Amino acid sequence: MKAKEVLENLKRRFPNEPEYHQAVQEVLESIEDVYNEHPEFEKYNLIERLCIPDRIFSFRVTWTDDNGNTHVNMGYRVQHNNAIGPYKGGLRFHSSVNQSILKFLAFEQTFKNSLTTLPMGGGKGGSDFNPKGKSNNEIMRFCQAFMLELAKHIGPETDVPAGDIGVGGREVGYMYGMYKKLRCENTGTLTGKGIEFGGSLIRPEATGYGNIYFLMNMLKRKGINDLKGQVVAISGSGNVATYTAEKVLELGGKVITLSDSNGYIYDPEGIDAEKLKYVFELKNIYRGRIKEYAEKYNCKYVEGGRPWAEKCTIALPSATQNELNGDDAKTLVANGCIAVSEGANMPSTPEAIEVFLQNKILYAPGKAANAGGVSVSGLEMTQNSIKLSWSREEVDQKLKDIMKDIHDACVKYGTEGDYVNYVKGANIAGFMKVAKAMMAQGVI
Ligand code: NDP
Ligand code: 2IT
């Protein structure tokens, strides 16, 4: 297999899908050598079978707003690979959603889920519906309309969706309600459910907490055991960003930034527990903008900006793809940043990753560092299957163990002399498990 040729071929067959090409390129470059040590992989064209999704559903979603106007959005589900378990992955509601973005996310999810040690394949879905400014009833009607189609393609042993950008507990609840109505079953399909109807404790916190558990594993290898004295820049202010901040505070670090798609806030005093409580309320109850933080606490707000120019020792991109470019990476390194751990999926551009690797700072790619979310989703599936629920402590401990296992797998496959290339480690470790499972199951 020549990574370049495979990629060129995919670009020719699936043009205008830059995010998908970007995600595939990174993995192909990492696994090329290992792949070529296994002639049986090439014999059965494993690489194309792994890069091209098993199937993609796309459908029209029709819903009515509070004024009686009828709207049409696109809905999608990309079922990428189910070699190691049912398709599993989130749903994204954002105006930018298109097939390229969902294909990149489903591809990444396949490797991420493989790393979790749990039996889950990879999938992703969503809609170009823009939830901003919509009433609660409009959100509910959209979720119901979306599920009217999606329900045909999912199930507890087939495909289990969850949240992602624009989809949190509220949306999962509305979708699950409709799913049950249509299918007359109570099997827990969909994770991130409310605690009263099959959700798992720690699922809301899991991606953010998991990212910090992964970060601590990386830092521990450098002799750093807590976050005291660390200055932490976080982007985003949604589910992942806020719970990341909560865990950073618990471990003694100082959080100086948060952001949304309009701009970022810089609070040199640090966003403490009380201020963070306000952010949770601002985001989840009032559905406001991060700018309001700057007005309330009288700190800097940069319209349209990204937080990476603020001096920090640790950066945790937790908003969206390609939100940190090569220049941002150079600035971070020049400012003394020692670690970057990705809460978001593919937030760093290839140029940024190159800068991190060349400067040998600790750099954890999203498919490893943010795998805590889907891991606890996997644990939610288990609890639903056995019809029991585990305590907070139990789930948190399992999450810690899983993040350590993922970290150690990255070290095993990514060590290059005295440096751990976590990108290579995550890609190879994730790939090998899926590859072996696919080989064992024949050409299908
Ligand atoms: P939320 O919708 O809760 O929050 C998203 C945050 O990112 C918001 O602050 C949002 O700002 C900001 N954002 C979204 N799009 C853009 C954009 N184009 N430019 C700048 N800022 C943007 O989503 P999550 O916190 O769940 O997801 C954040 C990231 O983490 C995503 O990459 C997601 O794929 C990834 N992830 C999520 C997991 C989960 O369990 N939820 C698990 C693993 C990864 P605004 O409000 O203005 O849109
Ligand atoms: O990107 C991700 O891993 C998620 N959005 C979570 C997926 C899940 O099924 O919990």
Side-chain angles (χ1 to χ4, degrees):
M1 180 271 278
K2 287 203 174 65
K4 251 199 176 127
E5 278 174 21
V6 176
L7 187 72
E8 284 316 311
N9 193 26
L10 288 175
K11 282 184 176 172
R12 187 179 51 74
R13 292 165 75 187
F14 309 103
N16 309 317
E17 297 190 346
E19 293 86 1
Y20 170 62
H21 302 154
Q22 183 183 335
V24 170
Q25 179 164 3
E26 185 208 283
V27 171
L28 290 185
E29 285 173 356
S30 292
I31 65 169
E32 186 167 16
D33 291 346
V34 172
Y35 185 94
N36 288 330
E37 284 164 15
H38 294 265
E40 70 278 15
F41 289 172
E42 187 66 357
K43 186 171 174 207
Y44 295 105
N45 195 2
L46 195 84
I47 201 64
E48 278 192 319
R49 291 163 54 210
L50 188 58
C51 290
I52 299 176
D54 288 357
R55 67 191 66 80
I56 302 175
F57 299 105
S58 62
F59 45 88
R60 172 169 53 76
V61 184
T62 308
W63 60 281
T64 303
D65 69 23
D66 290 344
N67 298 319
N69 302 311
T70 301
H71 298 268
V72 170
N73 284 101
M74 283 306 297
Y76 306 90
R77 186 71 181 168
V78 179
Q79 294 183 336
H80 189 86
N81 187 295
N82 67 352
I84 62 178
Y87 303 106
K88 178 85 197 86
L91 297 168
R92 178 177 291 191
F93 292 170
H94 192 270
S95 52
S96 66
V97 162
N98 58 36
Q99 202 157 287
S100 170
I101 289 177
L102 296 178
K103 277 175 74 179
F104 117 64
L105 288 164
F107 177 80
E108 289 274 295
Q109 197 82 45
T110 299
F111 299 93
K112 183 195 303 190
N113 293 3
S114 164
L115 287 169
T116 65
T117 71
L118 303 173
M120 300 183 289
K124 203 87 186 190
S127 172
D128 57 4
F129 171 72
N130 176 9
K132 287 200 187 84
K134 303 292 189 295
S135 72
N136 200 44
N137 278 332
E138 288 171 332
I139 296 285
M140 182 179 73
R141 285 197 295 275
F142 177 80
C143 288
Q144 292 173 338
F146 182 80
M147 186 49 78
L148 212 49
E149 278 295 327
L150 187 69
K152 296 172 189 167
H153 310 299
I154 62 174
E157 305 294 343
T158 316
D159 183 352
V160 182
D164 193 77
I165 291 176
V167 178
R170 175 179 63 163
E171 291 75 15
V172 167
Y174 291 148
M175 285 191 272
Y176 188 57
M178 190 60 167
Y179 175 83
K180 281 200 309 176
K181 181 107 184 148
L182 291 164
R183 298 277 291 255
C184 291
E185 59 174 46
N186 220 319
T187 46
T189 308
L190 283 155
T191 58
K193 297 182 293 295
I195 223 65
E196 305 79 7
F197 52 96
S200 175
L201 290 164
I202 303 280
R203 176 62 189 90
E205 297 91 336
T207 312
Y209 281 17
N211 189 17
I212 301 305
Y213 297 154
F214 193 94
L215 171 74
M216 294 316 300
N217 276 290
M218 292 201 296
L219 290 173
K220 233 171 244 166
R221 294 188 80 250
K222 301 275 167 196
I224 303 172
N225 290 311
D226 59 37
L227 294 177
K228 291 200 180 84
Q230 303 294 346
V231 178
V232 182
I234 300 177
S235 64
S237 49
N239 171 270
V240 178
T242 47
Y243 285 109
T244 300
E246 187 172 274
K247 191 51 88 175
V248 169
L249 295 187
E250 195 186 308
L251 297 180
K254 180 172 170 181
V255 177
I256 51 157
T257 66
L258 286 172
S259 72
D260 60 25
S261 49
N262 293 105
Y264 77 90
I265 55 122
Y266 170 63
D267 187 344
E269 316 259 284
I271 300 165
D272 60 19
E274 195 196 313
K275 293 171 177 175
L276 189 60
K277 189 165 166 266
Y278 165 76
V279 177
F280 275 113
E281 283 169 10
L282 177 69
K283 287 285 156 176
N284 297 316
I285 300 174
Y286 308 112
R287 308 210 175 252
R289 312 302 305 158
I290 202 65
K291 186 182 180 178
E292 294 165 53
Y293 178 102
E295 287 157 9
K296 185 171 168 71
Y297 294 110
N298 199 21
C299 72
K300 181 165 113 179
Y301 172 71
V302 181
E303 182 83 25
R306 304 184 297 192
W308 314 124
E310 304 298 345
K311 201 170 157 57
C312 65
T313 57
I314 294 171
L316 306 171
S318 308
T320 193
Q321 66 273 0
N322 292 326
E323 56 164 319
L324 196 166
N325 64 26
D327 290 338
D328 297 326
K330 284 182 197 151
T331 307
L332 283 170
V333 171
N335 278 344
C337 180
I338 58 163
V340 177
S341 199
E342 296 183 339
N345 285 307
M346 207 168 76
S348 305
T349 64
E351 296 76 26
I353 296 173
E354 196 53 40
V355 172
F356 298 144
L357 297 181
Q358 267 173 12
N359 286 278
K360 294 194 170 185
I361 69 164
L362 296 173
Y363 166 64
K367 67 169 75 69
N370 73 34
V374 75
S375 298
V376 175
S377 278
L379 300 178
E380 183 171 327
M381 289 164 71
T382 309
Q383 292 169 81
N384 292 166
S385 295
I386 61 174
K387 302 195 190 303
L388 286 174
S389 46
W390 295 328
S391 70
R392 246 187 113 76
E393 292 70 29
E394 224 173 327
V395 179
D396 199 27
Q397 189 55 50
K398 287 187 189 346
L399 172 61
K400 280 183 189 153
D401 293 344
I402 289 171
M403 296 316 294
K404 181 170 188 315
D405 286 348
I406 298 174
H407 173 269
D408 294 352
C410 292
V411 172
K412 180 177 170 196
Y413 287 98
T415 299
E416 298 171 333
D418 61 349
Y419 182 62
V420 179
N421 181 336
Y422 286 91
V423 180
K424 189 174 151 195
N427 286 334
I428 295 176
F431 163 74
M432 282 308 289
K433 184 173 168 189
V434 181
K436 285 180 186 164
M438 287 176 72
M439 289 301 294
Q441 292 171 46
V443 177
I444 44 170

